[in-house]
């Protein structure tokens, strides 16, 4: 049919506009998608890239996309170690996407943000809560140490909180394997968290510096301020080496003080192992549970039992196979920890399934039902309630229900405590049949559908209080019917009876309700009800145990007792109850009205609210001793989700009170990659004179220290001082040996110094000089060379493409060339041009990043080993790289064999450019898989990408959804309801 002229014009206009739309999409600067992820908004910024909240399109899961420039010297190290870790208290790494200029990491989203921010909000973490959080962090470290890996940058900023308030360790940029003790030399970390041996630039045991940092973290959490943090960095360093921070044992309790003093022992030998930390009384009961859980996971990991062994995983695989997914490749990707899109999808899908299943298993109302049932059958309450129950629910049916073990939720009874109008008539649907026995209940039939809940109120006979109804809610009314004055219940229906406690002694008034109240049946029913009560209790006990066990079976990460430790992640009400109960325990307030807090969206808000309630409750307590107050009586009867196991904490300080008295002295400490140690310390004074002068002061007089140092700590950046790097205090290149010896005057054990201080000695102490030659020799010749300590040697090596023209590059331009130019600038022989270029970039980045922050930063004085090794070896750096790779094969003997790579494979994997070739089996295929063009969708030229992070924040924000965190969580919940397009299989 011929189109009219107008129609033709309209059609042209439509095609034209679609064309333009597509074109503008191609040309757009805005980043909206990376691989399978849609970027929602920026949520943070690191030293080498930005952090975005994103959405995994195939599974509708929220993740964090962390971008790192390839010039980030630690990105390979971070990926390499992070992907080995599978622990509930370590952020999960789902996927790696490598593009022309960036490496993107898809990480588990932790909406609770950093522990640092949490602490700022609360000022101080209550002792019990602190014990739980610290057990989680310690558990993560125990796990990492068991795999012979050390973190080396533990700090509050690197611990995130998930949406239910569990701690998650992150940022493995400085991690390395550490098979034996006392071999590390690379100075890295953040000054205020650094152990004395690091400050003294001694060789160190990586495990022990982590333990020290944990001590700093624990101290800060408990006190609300840092143990060693002075305005002047030199003062901080001096304190770290010489002083023991003060502890308020009345506030913290003896156990916490004991643990702190062990963690912060100046001599690393005196510090406990992570196992000993977890076994410490302060961390109980959480510590032992964590230890067991971690051992369990380690055992499974070492025996390759962690993946594809659970029922859930098998079912999921089956469903995927039915959908046509290549499950063989998927399994392979996951097992080899390739972190590609296949394994990313699997991990996210599995997580979603677990969450869905847990949601189904822990329907919020069940908890209430159990509690209320206990209440209703409490011996103190009237047997009339039992009568009413037996009247309302036929015993035979009830027994039938109890016998039906498959039933997820049969009867839910709640104590509402609210008075409602009486005299409502019973509808046909709500009547109960005591005579008819129905068919067994199927799982499907008992699913809770709140929207179908109907309420029928029964008035009570001879009631003195007419506002005391028994309420019956029938969830599935379709099979309920009334007949001949009897009340009938279909066992397939969900029934909820609500009764106010205060009317428990009120006899039932049957009113218009055709209930059977025959007195001859009363006694019989009553005795049956007593038996029934026992049965009901046993039944729910069993259900409770079963629930916990099945949860644990499904989640191999969760130890059977882990409910003590971790908040359940997938049930809002349950989650809130747990949080509330713990916080109530921690704050010594009665466990009342858990539902009062459920409206608060996040755990922090809940905790904050509870803290408020806690203080007002305590005030009330002071006014009158209401031992039998309603709240207390409820407290005694309410046991929420097994939380009765948690001992109440008696030493918890009153939080709101402490807010007024304690002025937190917290600053945020950002990691920087760095040669800044040399820069900062080069401005410092002589430690000799400093230590001599300090002897005149008590340990708390640091502020009055007469040491004259620059008022503002240098915010130096590599870009400005890169030349200084190699001629600095800690350089081992021989140009500045005198400075180095100054700085190494700390070589004298701090113990000796402390002893001398405590004895009030006034004599000047000259510290023996650290021989430069020893450092140099160690660095260059020993097997335990500091070069081995550094990943730089490998990371800075040139791409194999550079020297081998037969190897085809994925792109015309070597994507790593910038990186290697950059890396060469670390070397004394580095080209000026590349350094200038890099400096420009770094100056900008570092300034952006450090402006809002201050003082100390993560330091990574790699120049020490690079310069020293260059002195001793004239071979080009690129060539030497390959000779150092066997060092990395010194991975933990416990690491799964598929992680330990052959030298060649290792070299390939560790070379940054070879991130394009994760899989040596099928290089070509995986090269394609990691090709940026394959993972990015429909955007401009490569230069666009390069420029992306150069744009100002406003620009990037405009490309991103404006949703805030809370909304994101809500969205996530919504998203979770969206099922993947998988066939619903019949699972037997
Ligand atoms: N998994 C996550 N969930 C939520 N927020 C995150 C996550 N990872 C990082 N962030 C946010 O992004 C910010 C920067 O991330 P991160 O500290 O990992 O970057 P970085 O480059 O490693 O920083 P640094 O230079 O301090 O080591 C964090 O402060 C945090 O607020």
């Amino acid at each position: 049919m011929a189109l009219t002229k107008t129609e033709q014009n309209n059609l042209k206009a439509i095609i034209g506009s679609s064309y333009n739309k597509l074109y503008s999409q191609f040309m757009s600067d805005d980043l909206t998608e990376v691989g399978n992820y849609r970027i929602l908004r920026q949520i943070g910024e690191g030293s080498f890239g930005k952090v975005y909240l994103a959405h995994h399109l195939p599974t509708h899961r929220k993740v964090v996309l962390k971008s790192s420039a390839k010039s980030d010297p630690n990105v390979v190290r971070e990926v390499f170690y992070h992907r080995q870790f599978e622990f509930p208290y370590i952020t999960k790494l789902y996927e790696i996407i490598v593009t022309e200029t960036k490496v993107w990491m898809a990480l588990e989203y932790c909406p609770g943000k950093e522990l640092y921010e949490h602490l700022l909000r609360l000022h101080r973490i209550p002792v019990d809560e602190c014990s739980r959080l610290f057990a989680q962090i310690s558990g993560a470290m125990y796990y990492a140490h068991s795999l012979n890996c050390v973190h080396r940058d533990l700090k509050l900023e690197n611990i995130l909180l998930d949406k239910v308030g569990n701690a998650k360790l992150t940022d493995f940029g400085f991690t390395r394997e550490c098979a034996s003790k006392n071999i590390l030399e690379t100075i890295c970390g953040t000054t205020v968290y650094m152990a004395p041996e690091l400050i003294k630039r001694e060789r160190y045991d990586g495990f022990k510096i982590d333990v020290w940092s944990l001590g700093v973290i624990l101290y800060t959490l408990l006190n609300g301020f840092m143990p060693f943090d002075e305005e002047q960095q030199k003062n901080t360093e001096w304190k770290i080496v010489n002083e023991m921070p003060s502890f308020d044992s009345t506030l913290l309790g003896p156990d916490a003080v004991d643990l702190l003093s062990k963690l912060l022992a100046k001599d690393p030998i005196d510090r406990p192992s992570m196992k000993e930390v977890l076994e410490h009384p302060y961390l109980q009961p959480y510590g032992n549970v964590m230890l067991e859980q971690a051992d369990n996971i380690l055992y499974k990991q070492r025996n390759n039992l962690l993946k594809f062994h659970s029922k859930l995983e098998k079912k999921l695989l089956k469903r995927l196979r039915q959908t046509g997914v290549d499950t063989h490749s998927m399994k392979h990707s996951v097992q080899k920890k390739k972190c590609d899109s296949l394994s990313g999808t699997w991990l996210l899908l599995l997580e979603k399934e677990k969450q869905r299943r847990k949601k189904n298993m822990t329907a919020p109302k069940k908890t209430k039902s159990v509690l209320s049932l206990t209440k209703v059958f409490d011996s103190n309450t009237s047997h009339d309630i039992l009568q009413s129950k037996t009247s309302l629910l036929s015993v035979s049916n009830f027994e039938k229900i109890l016998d039906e073990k498959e039933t997820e939720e049969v009867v839910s009874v709640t104590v509402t405590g609210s008075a409602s109008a009486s005299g409502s008539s019973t509808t046909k649907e709500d009547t109960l049949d005591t005579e008819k026995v129905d068919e067994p209940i199927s799982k499907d039939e008992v699913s809770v559908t709140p929207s179908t809940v109907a309420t029928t109120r029964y008035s009570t006979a001879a009631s003195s209080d007419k506002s005391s109804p028994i309420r019956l809610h029938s969830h599935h009314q379709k099979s309920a019917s009334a007949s001949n004055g009897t009340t009938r219940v279909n066992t397939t229906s969900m029934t909820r009876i609500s009764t106010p406690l205060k009317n428990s002694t009120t006899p039932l008034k049957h009113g218009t309700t055709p209930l059977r109240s025959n007195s001859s049946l009363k006694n019989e029913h009553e005795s049956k009800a007593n038996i029934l009560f026992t049965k009901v209790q046993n039944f729910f006990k069993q259900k409770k145990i079963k629930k916990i066990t099945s949860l644990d079976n499904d989640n191999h990460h969760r130890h059977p007792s882990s409910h003590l430790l971790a908040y359940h992640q997938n049930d809002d009400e349950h989650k809130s109850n747990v949080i509330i109960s713990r916080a109530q325990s921690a704050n010594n307030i009665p466990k009342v009205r858990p539902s009062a807090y459920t409206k608060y969206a996040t755990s922090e808000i809940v905790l904050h609210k509870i803290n408020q309630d806690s203080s007002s409750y305590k005030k009330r307590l002071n006014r009158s001793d209401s031992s039998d107050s309603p709240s207390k009586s409820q407290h005694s009867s309410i046991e929420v989700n097994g939380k009765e196991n948690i001992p109440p904490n008696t030493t918890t300080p009153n939080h709101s009170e402490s807010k007024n008295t304690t002025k937190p002295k917290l600053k945020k400490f950002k990691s920087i990659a760095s040669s800044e140690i040399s820069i900062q310390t080069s401005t410092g004074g002589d430690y000799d004179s400093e230590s001599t002068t300090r002897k005149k002061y008590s340990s708390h007089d640091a502020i009055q220290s007469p040491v004259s140092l620059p008022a503002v700590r240098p915010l130096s950046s590599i870009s400005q001082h890169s030349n200084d790097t190699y001629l600095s205090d800690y350089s081992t290149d021989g140009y500045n040996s005198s400075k180095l010896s100054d700085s190494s005057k700390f070589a004298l054990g701090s113990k000796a110094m402390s002893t001398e201080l405590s004895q009030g000695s006034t004599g000047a102490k000259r510290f023996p000089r650290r021989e430069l030659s020893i450092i140099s020799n160690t660095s260059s010749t020993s097997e335990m060379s500091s070069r081995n300590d550094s990943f730089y040697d490998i990371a800075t090596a040139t791409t194999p493409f550079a020297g081998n023209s037969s190897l085809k590059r994925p792109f015309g331009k070597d994507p790593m060339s910038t990186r290697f130019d950059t890396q060469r600038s670390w070397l004394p022989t580095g080209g000026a041009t590349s350094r200038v270029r890099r400096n420009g970039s770094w100056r900008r980045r570092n300034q952006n990043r450090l402006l809002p922050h201050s003082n100390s930063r993560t330091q990574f004085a790699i120049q020490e080993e690079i310069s020293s090794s260059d002195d001793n070896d004239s071979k080009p750096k690129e060539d030497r790289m390959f000779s150092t790779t066997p060092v990395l094969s010194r991975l933990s003997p416990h690491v799964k064999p598929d992680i330990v790579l052959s030298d060649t494979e290792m070299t390939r994997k560790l070379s940054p450019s070879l991130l394009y070739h994760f899989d040596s089996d099928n290089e070509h295929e995986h090269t394609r898989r990691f090709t940026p063009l394959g993972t990015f969708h429909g955007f401009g030229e490569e230069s666009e990408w390069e420029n992306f992070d150069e744009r100002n924040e406003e620009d990037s924000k405009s490309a991103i959804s404006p949703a805030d965190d809370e909304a994101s969580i809500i969205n996530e919940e919504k998203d979770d309801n969206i099922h993947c397009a998988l066939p619903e299989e019949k699972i037997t």
Side-chain angles (χ1 to χ4, degrees):
M1 196 181 81
L3 294 174
T4 65
K5 189 120 185 157
T6 325
E7 282 171 339
Q8 280 176 0
N9 285 341
N10 283 345
L11 198 61
K12 273 184 191 170
I14 291 168
I15 293 169
S17 97
S18 307
Y19 214 89
N20 286 338
K21 207 172 154 188
L22 189 61
Y23 178 78
S24 57
Q25 198 185 345
F26 285 167
M27 294 301 128
S28 170
D29 284 349
D30 297 335
L31 178 66
T32 55
E33 284 186 15
V34 179
N36 287 328
Y37 303 87
R38 175 169 298 145
I39 289 181
L40 300 177
R41 65 195 164 87
Q42 187 182 333
I43 55 167
E45 188 163 3
S47 307
F48 287 88
K50 294 179 179 176
V51 181
Y52 300 92
L53 178 63
H55 180 226
H56 186 240
L57 295 167
T59 58
H60 301 281
R61 301 285 298 174
K62 288 267 186 306
V63 299
V64 158
L65 273 187
K66 183 175 164 182
S67 68
S68 298
K70 283 179 180 170
S71 54
D72 178 355
N74 296 314
V75 66
V76 186
R77 180 198 289 268
E78 183 164 6
V79 170
F80 184 82
Y81 290 105
H82 199 161
R83 66 182 182 149
Q84 293 179 27
F85 298 142
E86 284 181 75
F87 195 69
Y89 306 105
I90 292 179
T91 51
K92 290 188 190 74
L93 173 61
Y94 302 118
E95 192 174 338
I96 306 293
I97 299 167
V98 181
T99 66
E100 185 82 5
T101 55
K102 288 190 171 73
V103 176
W104 295 82
M105 280 186 262
L107 296 161
E108 179 181 359
Y109 176 44
C110 299
K113 304 217 170 140
E114 295 168 359
L115 188 51
Y116 166 83
E117 288 167 31
H118 182 59
L119 182 61
L120 276 189
R121 272 193 296 269
L122 294 184
H123 295 260
R124 183 187 292 166
I125 310 287
V127 176
D128 187 63
E129 175 65 2
C130 191
S131 155
R132 187 187 67 86
L133 281 174
F134 193 72
Q136 293 178 343
I137 304 161
S138 302
M141 282 321 300
Y142 170 75
Y143 169 82
H145 284 189
S146 302
L147 292 175
N148 285 342
C149 290
V150 289
H151 188 283
R152 300 199 295 181
D153 195 18
L154 283 174
K155 55 180 176 177
L156 289 168
E157 293 90 326
N158 285 339
I159 297 158
L160 303 173
L161 295 173
D162 69 10
K163 65 179 173 183
V164 287
N166 291 322
K168 303 264 177 176
L169 187 61
T170 192
D171 205 344
F172 296 93
F174 292 157
T175 301
R176 62 153 292 157
E177 78 289 347
C178 183
S180 56
K181 292 177 182 178
N182 299 314
I183 61 157
L184 306 181
E185 288 190 351
T186 304
I187 306 301
C188 58
T190 303
T191 308
V192 287
Y193 293 88
M194 273 186 186
E197 57 270 29
L198 275 172
I199 298 287
K200 292 188 278 181
R201 310 295 184 249
E202 288 172 351
R203 297 171 85 199
Y204 62 89
D205 176 348
F207 300 111
K208 298 294 183 184
I209 65 156
D210 278 348
V211 172
W212 171 278
S213 303
L214 284 177
V216 176
I217 289 171
L218 181 60
Y219 184 96
T220 313
L221 289 177
L222 287 169
N223 292 288
F225 53 88
M226 305 209 68
F228 313 103
D229 182 28
E230 299 302 312
E231 276 306 308
Q232 304 296 336
Q233 186 169 321
K234 282 284 171 188
N235 291 0
T236 305
E237 290 176 352
W238 191 91
K239 281 198 162 196
I240 290 172
V241 174
N242 300 300
E243 279 187 5
M244 199 65 189
S246 56
F247 305 115
D248 183 349
S249 49
T250 50
L251 186 72
L252 308 183
D255 285 342
V257 170
D258 181 61
L259 179 58
L260 277 173
S261 52
K262 283 177 176 154
L263 296 171
L264 294 176
K266 303 288 181 197
D267 189 342
I269 296 164
D270 296 339
R271 284 174 223 150
S273 66
M274 284 317 303
K275 187 167 189 280
E276 287 162 347
V277 171
L278 284 170
E279 283 168 346
H280 193 276
Y282 171 65
L283 293 187
Q284 302 321 317
Y286 310 114
N288 281 335
V289 171
M290 178 54 75
L291 198 58
E292 227 177 302
Q293 189 180 359
D295 281 338
N296 191 26
I297 291 168
L298 284 163
Y299 171 81
K300 285 183 175 170
Q301 195 167 338
R302 285 163 187 164
N303 293 286
N304 210 6
L305 300 171
L306 218 49
K307 291 271 182 282
F308 305 108
H309 276 76
S310 76
K311 220 172 164 183
L312 187 69
E313 284 169 304
K314 285 174 186 165
K315 282 177 188 172
L316 189 58
L317 265 184
K318 194 174 164 189
R319 287 167 65 191
L320 285 168
R321 208 175 302 125
Q322 285 170 352
T323 326
V325 173
D326 179 359
T327 48
H328 181 75
S329 301
M330 195 172 235
K331 269 178 92 171
H332 185 72
S333 278
V334 175
Q335 275 163 342
K336 296 284 174 192
K337 296 180 195 286
K338 285 182 181 168
C339 291
D340 56 8
S341 63
L342 276 180
S343 69
T345 304
W346 168 261
L347 294 173
L348 286 161
L349 200 54
L350 184 64
E351 221 172 73
K352 188 187 173 87
E353 284 296 300
K354 279 179 186 169
Q355 188 169 342
R356 199 153 63 93
R357 189 165 168 171
K358 275 182 211 162
K359 260 184 188 163
N360 291 342
M361 293 179 78
T362 54
K365 289 191 172 95
K366 274 197 260 180
T367 313
K368 283 185 181 172
S369 310
V370 177
L371 301 176
S372 314
L373 194 62
T374 315
K375 196 70 180 173
V376 169
F377 287 97
D378 192 287
S379 57
N380 294 328
T381 61
S382 166
H383 64 266
D384 288 317
I385 297 297
L386 298 180
Q387 281 180 346
S388 68
K389 280 194 59 58
T390 43
S391 305
L392 290 167
L393 295 170
S394 97
V395 172
S396 54
N397 278 339
F398 217 134
E399 284 174 334
K400 170 82 180 156
I401 291 164
L402 295 175
D403 289 342
E404 187 52 61
K405 299 294 183 192
E406 280 300 338
T407 310
E408 276 294 307
E409 179 76 358
V410 180
V411 174
S412 60
V413 184
T414 54
V415 178
T416 63
S418 64
S420 13
S422 61
S424 308
S425 62
T426 311
T427 60
K428 194 178 177 187
E429 290 81 27
D430 297 315
T431 54
L432 309 170
D433 190 346
T434 52
E435 290 160 10
K436 183 164 179 179
V437 176
D438 293 298
E439 314 78 50
I441 305 154
S442 78
K443 252 186 177 175
D444 294 340
E445 286 169 320
V446 294
S447 64
V448 181
T449 319
S451 60
T452 63
V453 173
T455 305
T456 304
R457 297 188 174 92
Y458 295 86
S459 58
T460 52
S463 172
S464 57
D465 181 358
K466 291 203 172 188
S467 63
S468 52
I470 302 284
R471 292 194 296 173
L472 181 140
H473 313 263
S474 178
H475 291 241
H476 291 256
Q477 290 89 10
K478 60 180 178 185
S479 56
S481 64
S483 66
N484 300 328
T486 60
T487 306
R488 174 182 183 276
V489 66
N490 188 329
T491 52
T492 61
S493 67
M494 289 291 301
T495 307
R496 187 199 306 171
I497 297 166
S498 308
T499 181
L501 268 180
K502 63 177 180 177
N503 297 314
S504 57
T505 54
T506 310
L508 281 175
K509 172 186 171 184
H510 291 205
T512 56
T513 311
L515 294 175
R516 292 179 68 179
S517 55
N518 190 328
S519 58
S520 61
L521 285 175
K522 265 191 180 179
N523 292 338
E524 185 192 335
H525 281 172
E526 195 177 325
S527 59
K528 277 193 176 182
N530 285 331
I531 301 163
L532 178 66
F533 171 58
T534 320
K535 284 193 176 184
V536 169
Q537 276 196 323
N538 290 340
F539 169 74
F540 282 110
K541 262 184 204 162
Q542 280 173 9
K543 291 296 287 179
K544 213 166 161 187
I545 293 162
K546 194 176 156 193
K547 224 185 288 174
I548 292 165
T549 321
S550 53
L551 269 177
D552 291 322
N553 286 343
D554 288 338
N555 184 359
H556 47 249
H557 283 164
R558 207 176 281 281
H559 184 268
S561 338
S562 63
H563 63 286
L564 271 179
L565 197 70
Y567 292 144
H568 296 260
Q569 305 226 1
N570 306 310
D571 183 320
D572 282 347
E573 189 167 342
H574 180 83
K575 171 186 80 185
S576 301
N577 286 347
V578 175
I579 294 168
I580 292 157
S581 172
R582 286 186 195 290
Q584 283 171 331
S585 299
N587 288 284
N588 260 344
I589 60 172
K591 294 177 182 177
V592 292
R593 295 190 297 108
S595 61
Y597 297 102
T598 53
K599 61 186 171 194
Y600 299 106
T602 65
S603 53
E604 288 81 36
I605 304 170
V606 170
L607 284 170
H608 181 70
K609 182 75 188 135
I610 288 167
N611 283 329
Q612 283 179 346
D613 287 3
S614 161
S615 55
S616 61
Y617 170 74
K618 281 172 186 169
K619 276 179 201 156
R620 265 187 283 126
L621 267 191
N622 288 341
R623 268 187 257 127
S624 64
D625 182 21
S626 52
S627 58
D628 53 355
S629 66
S631 57
K632 273 208 170 177
S633 66
Q634 266 195 308
H635 179 207
S636 60
S637 63
I638 293 180
E639 298 170 337
V640 184
N641 304 329
K643 291 189 294 298
E644 63 274 17
N645 293 330
I646 303 153
N649 169 38
T650 49
T651 55
T652 307
N654 185 328
H655 207 59
S656 31
E657 281 166 17
S658 68
K659 272 185 193 175
N660 303 328
T661 52
T662 312
K663 290 229 165 94
K665 189 184 160 191
L666 267 181
K667 292 175 215 130
K668 192 161 185 173
F669 299 97
K670 281 278 182 179
S671 301
I672 54 163
S674 91
S675 34
E676 297 201 12
I677 288 174
S678 45
I679 299 155
Q680 290 164 359
T681 51
S682 65
T683 60
D686 186 325
Y687 279 103
D688 282 349
S689 57
E690 193 179 334
S691 57
T692 310
T693 324
R694 279 177 182 280
K695 287 168 192 168
K696 297 171 190 162
Y697 296 89
S698 73
S699 61
H700 302 294
D701 286 342
I703 290 161
Q704 302 164 32
S705 166
V707 179
S708 156
L709 289 166
V712 182
R713 270 190 230 185
L715 265 182
S716 52
S717 68
I718 294 163
S719 55
Q720 290 157 328
H721 300 280
S722 53
N723 281 327
D724 299 352
T725 298
Y726 303 102
L727 301 171
S728 62
D729 285 10
Y730 299 103
S731 170
T732 53
D733 61 5
Y735 291 118
N736 229 7
S737 57
S738 61
K739 276 193 179 177
L740 179 70
S741 356
D742 280 349
S743 65
S744 47
K745 287 165 193 169
F746 276 123
L748 184 75
S750 55
K751 257 189 172 176
M753 195 187 288
S754 306
T755 316
E756 200 171 329
L757 276 175
S758 61
Q759 287 166 355
S761 164
T762 52
K765 187 79 197 171
R766 301 297 300 181
F767 301 127
R769 288 180 170 237
R770 195 168 155 208
E771 291 302 321
L772 180 64
S773 57
I774 293 170
I775 302 166
S776 304
N777 288 343
T778 312
S779 300
S780 55
T781 60
S782 163
E783 201 276 323
M784 298 183 295
S785 157
S786 62
R787 182 147 38 108
N788 299 344
D789 186 11
S790 163
F791 198 76
Y792 274 73
D793 294 298
I794 291 135
T796 57
T798 192
T799 164
F801 296 136
N804 188 350
S805 55
S806 64
L807 273 174
K808 210 178 169 200
R809 291 180 199 168
F811 310 104
K813 183 183 114 186
D814 177 7
M816 299 307 296
S817 56
T818 316
R819 175 186 173 81
F820 293 117
D821 285 347
T822 299
Q823 295 302 328
R824 279 188 204 104
S825 70
W826 285 88
L827 306 176
T829 51
T833 317
S834 62
R835 185 176 299 171
V836 168
R837 208 170 76 198
R838 172 176 175 248
N839 289 347
S841 166
W842 277 41
R843 184 184 296 118
R844 178 179 42 73
R845 284 189 175 126
N846 282 338
Q847 281 171 353
N848 282 344
R849 185 176 168 74
L850 295 172
L851 266 178
H853 311 297
S854 62
N855 319 36
S856 239
R857 290 143 288 177
T858 302
Q859 297 166 329
F860 197 37
I862 199 68
Q863 76 283 358
E864 184 172 332
E865 52 224 38
I866 291 178
S867 51
S868 64
S869 51
D870 265 67
D871 282 348
N872 295 291
D873 194 344
S874 58
K875 266 169 95 183
K877 193 83 180 163
E878 297 83 46
D879 296 339
R880 289 204 313 268
M881 178 274 272
F882 294 101
S883 63
T884 60
T885 50
V887 175
L888 280 147
S889 61
R890 288 190 293 108
L891 278 171
S892 155
H894 307 307
V895 174
K896 277 168 60 180
D898 61 1
I899 301 168
V900 183
L901 310 165
S902 68
D903 277 4
T904 326
E905 202 178 3
M906 172 84 75
T907 309
R908 293 163 63 76
K909 279 190 187 258
L910 298 180
S911 172
S913 61
L914 287 175
L915 279 168
Y916 290 93
H917 302 277
F918 264 37
D919 187 4
S920 60
D921 301 334
N922 193 344
E923 188 171 293
H924 183 65
E925 183 193 323
H926 287 275
T927 301
R928 291 180 71 83
R929 189 172 292 155
F930 281 94
T931 297
L933 298 177
T935 52
F936 283 83
H937 298 285
F939 288 95
E941 297 163 10
E942 283 159 17
S943 58
E944 303 279 354
W945 289 102
E946 222 151 6
N947 291 336
F948 178 76
D949 73 340
E950 314 287 326
R951 276 180 251 131
N952 66 42
E953 209 171 298
E954 284 312 307
D955 282 348
S956 58
K957 270 182 187 164
S958 66
I960 287 162
S961 155
D964 61 16
D965 269 2
E966 298 302 321
S968 306
I969 298 167
I970 293 162
N971 284 339
E972 190 179 17
E973 303 298 9
K974 278 190 203 154
D975 290 338
D976 291 333
N977 294 327
I978 305 168
H979 293 207
C980 286
L982 294 176
E984 280 299 331
E985 50 142 13
K986 285 224 180 323
I987 298 157
T988 50

